[in-house]
């Protein structure tokens, strides 16, 4: 797989994480993708989406930042914030569900093989 294909797959995976989190938080996906912070609820949803892209899809923090239009340090901070919240058992279980859902999603590039 060439570099461009890796980038496209990373972007597709980040989009899937963003869409799943938007659904789970009941916020519009375009709010999560917005270049500005937005409300604290949307900002936290974005942090969760970044965390899930990193953990569920094993994207490095630089790739996560790039996929969300942020830098590596912002992605790192998002992961720290979410990791700290995992001390809450209810939030941890909820996040595990989203993580499992994303990990079992088919590879977004598989359609190229079928066409």
């Amino acid at each position: 797989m060439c570099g461009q294909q890796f980038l496209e797959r990373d972007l597709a995976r980040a989009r899937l994480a963003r869409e799943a989190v938007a659904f789970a938080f009941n916020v519009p996906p375009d709010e999560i993708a917005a270049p500005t912070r937005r409300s604290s609820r949307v900002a936290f949803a974005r942090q969760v989406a970044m965390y899930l892209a990193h953990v569920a899809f094993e994207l490095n923090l630089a790739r996560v930042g790039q996929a969300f239009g942020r830098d590596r340090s912002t992605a790192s901070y998002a992961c720290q914030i979410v990791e700290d919240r995992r001390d809450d058992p209810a939030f941890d279980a909820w996040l595990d569900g989203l993580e499992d859902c994303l990990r079992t999603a088919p590879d977004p590039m598989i359609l190229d093989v079928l066409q």
Side-chain angles (χ1 to χ4, degrees):
M1 196 180 283
C2 73
Q4 181 63 29
Q5 287 174 318
F6 276 119
L7 178 61
E8 288 175 13
R9 186 179 68 190
D10 291 353
L11 292 173
R13 287 176 168 174
R15 188 172 54 250
L16 179 58
R18 184 177 63 237
E19 294 286 335
V21 170
F23 175 79
F25 273 80
N26 195 29
V27 298
D30 59 323
E31 286 289 301
I32 293 174
T36 57
R37 185 176 183 277
R38 304 291 198 223
S39 69
S40 60
R41 179 184 170 138
V42 171
F44 185 61
R46 182 183 307 110
Q47 290 169 333
V48 170
M50 294 172 92
Y51 173 85
L52 288 170
H54 176 61
V55 172
F57 296 127
E58 300 178 358
L59 301 182
N60 68 42
L61 294 173
R63 290 255 191 201
V64 171
Q66 183 180 16
F68 283 85
R70 286 3 190 224
D71 59 26
R72 187 206 64 77
S73 63
T74 301
S76 176
Y77 179 72
C79 290
Q80 290 171 1
I81 292 296
V82 174
E83 201 58 53
D84 288 347
R85 290 282 303 269
R86 291 200 83 154
D87 290 338
D88 174 359
F91 179 75
D92 187 53
W94 178 83
L95 195 58
D96 277 343
L98 279 174
E99 204 174 314
D100 290 344
C101 178
L102 292 175
R103 281 193 172 136
T104 59
D107 189 338
M109 299 305 286
I110 195 70
L111 293 177
D112 288 345
V113 175
L114 299 175
Q115 293 177 351

